[in-house]
């Protein structure tokens, strides 16, 4: 019996488990380790924050899915990998041995390493915290969202729409250290800026947070902003797991992998999604689109490793579709240099997201 351990229930391992439930494989024992029974889908976070979806709509029951695929589910987190001895240590201090191991543990939030941010701000990662965090933030009298990427922008518009529908007058604030959506061109930033101007969201661009105390956020330019709740969404940071386990990582601690999604040092360690950095594409953004594209390749390569067959290699696509919710069932669609905003992009997003999550149920 070959023992395959899947660590984390992200996009890549959801695909792995789905393949197993469609097609049982003899001679394989599969274990899924996740700190939460539920995996929450970030594509639907904005809809939940706006009140369009219920909690059950945006999450998957990992234990149920594992059972259907004859996978053993362990509710725990891996805290150390022992790659020479082929076992991992769990937070609960137990150990689990493996022949092959795969990591799809996502990322943490940049800034969570700083003590003032950690004590005063709220985070949505691990993703099973999402609904609770949103409930705290969206009803606060002075909510401040920090981070001008996809997550910060979508959640600002969604929380704003939720408050408007409940006639909550006080504005929310979005703070970003640069322009809006720096990963895209200036034209897109400007387009988003115009969308913000049509709301009463208080937008502070080029405002870098220096420190936070119990009363206010202090900026590098000497200004300060009082708050009741802060939602911190400043981009991905690696877990310490790979560095702690002395595996080869990039300078940020993400596991370095080949295009076959294997660790540089150990052929029996696979990884994909946010937690991995590809040696040939080190600057690839950490996003769900790439995790979803890597998922079938990781599944096939684990089986090919067992059968000693040639691997398939991941090559990122040049363009991908991105749809940002703007609240009130409107969205901004971005593809290549093209953009389109309005009701149709939101309907398309809703269709794609529901189809995606329902495909696992
Ligand atoms: C509001 C929001 C909107 C977004 N919108 C988009 C979008 O429109 N398009 C897009 O492409 N991306 C988007 N993203 C980014 C996207 O969510 C991530 O890139 C994606 O979820 C990464 O998927 P993953 O499979 O790597 O990991 P995840 O989906 O993060 O799953 C990782 C899982 O591993 C578990 N885990 C963590 N540590 C351990 C451990 N030590 N042991 C065991 N399990 C562990 C976690 O609890 C989690 O359940 C958005 C993110 C946010 C927050």
């Amino acid at each position: 019996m070959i023992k395959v351990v899947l660590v984390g229930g992200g996009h890549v391992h959801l695909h792995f488990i789905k393949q197993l439930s469609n097609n049982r494989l003899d001679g394989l024992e599969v274990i899924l380790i996740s700190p939460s029974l539920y995996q929450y889908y970030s594509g639907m976070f904005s809809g939940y924050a706006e009140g369009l979806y219920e909690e059950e709509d945006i999450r998957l029951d990992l234990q149920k899915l594992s059972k259907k695929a004859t996978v053993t589910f362990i509710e725990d987190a891996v805290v150390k990998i022992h790659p020479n001895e082929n076992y991992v240590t769990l937070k609960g201090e137990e150990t689990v041995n493996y022949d092959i191991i795969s990591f799809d543990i996502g990322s943490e939030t940049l800034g969570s390493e700083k003590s003032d941010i950690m004590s005063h701000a709220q985070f949505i990662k691990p993703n099973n915290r999402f609904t609770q965090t949103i409930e705290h933030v969206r009803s606060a009298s002075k909510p401040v969202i920090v981070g001008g990427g996809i997550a910060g922008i979508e959640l600002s518009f969604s929380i704003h729409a939720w408050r408007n529908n409940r006639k909550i007058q006080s504005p929310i604030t979005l703070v970003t250290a640069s322009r809006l959506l720096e990963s895209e061109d200036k034209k897109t930033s400007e387009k988003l800026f115009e969308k913000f101007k049509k709301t009463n969201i208080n937008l502070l661009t080029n405002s870098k947070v220096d420190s936070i105390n119990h009363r206010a956020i202090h900026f590098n330019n000497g200004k300060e902003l009082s708050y009741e709740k802060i939602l911190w969404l400043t981009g991905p940071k690696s877990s310490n797991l790979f560095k702690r386990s002395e595996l080869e990582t990039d300078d940020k601690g993400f596991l370095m992998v080949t295009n076959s999604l294997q660790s540089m040092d150990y052929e029996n360690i696979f990884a994909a999604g946010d937690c991995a950095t590809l040696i040939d594409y080190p600057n690839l953004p950490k996003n769900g689109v790439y995790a979803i594209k890597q998922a079938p390749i990781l599944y096939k390569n684990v089986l090919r490793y067992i059968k000693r067959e040639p691997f398939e290699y991941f090559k990122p696509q040049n363009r991908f579709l991105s749809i940002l919710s703007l609240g009130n069932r409107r969205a901004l669609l971005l593809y290549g240099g093209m953009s389109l905003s309005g009701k149709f992009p939101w309907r398309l997003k809703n269709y794609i997201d529901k189809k995606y999550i329902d495909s696992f149920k």
Side-chain angles (χ1 to χ4, degrees), residues 10 24 56 71 75 77 84 136 144 147 159 197 243 248-249 255 304 313 329 338:
R24 297 268 151 83
E56 284 310 315
V71 167
E75 190 178 349
N84 293 318
H136 279 129
V144 177
I159 290 175
K197 271 192 5 201
K243 277 215 155 150
E248 187 173 339
T249 66
L255 188 70
R304 286 173 184 208
Y313 298 107
R329 291 186 160 91
M338 192 199 89

Side-chain angles (χ1 to χ4, degrees), residues 248-262:
E248 187 173 339
T249 66
D250 67 4
D251 57 355
K252 297 186 181 102
F254 293 107
L255 188 70
M256 207 53 136
V257 296
T258 61
N259 295 342
S260 55
L261 308 176
Q262 286 166 290

Side-chain angles (χ1 to χ4, degrees), residues 24 27 72-73 99 101 119 138 142 153 161-162 214 260 272 278 295 306 326 336 343 352 358 360-361:
R24 297 268 151 83
T72 306
F73 178 74
D99 296 305
I101 193 158
S119 8
R138 70 184 174 185
K142 268 192 201 169
I153 293 170
W162 184 90
H214 67 281
S260 55
L278 286 137
I306 295 168
L326 300 174
K343 288 188 175 172
I352 295 172
D358 286 347
F360 297 102
K361 286 182 176 165

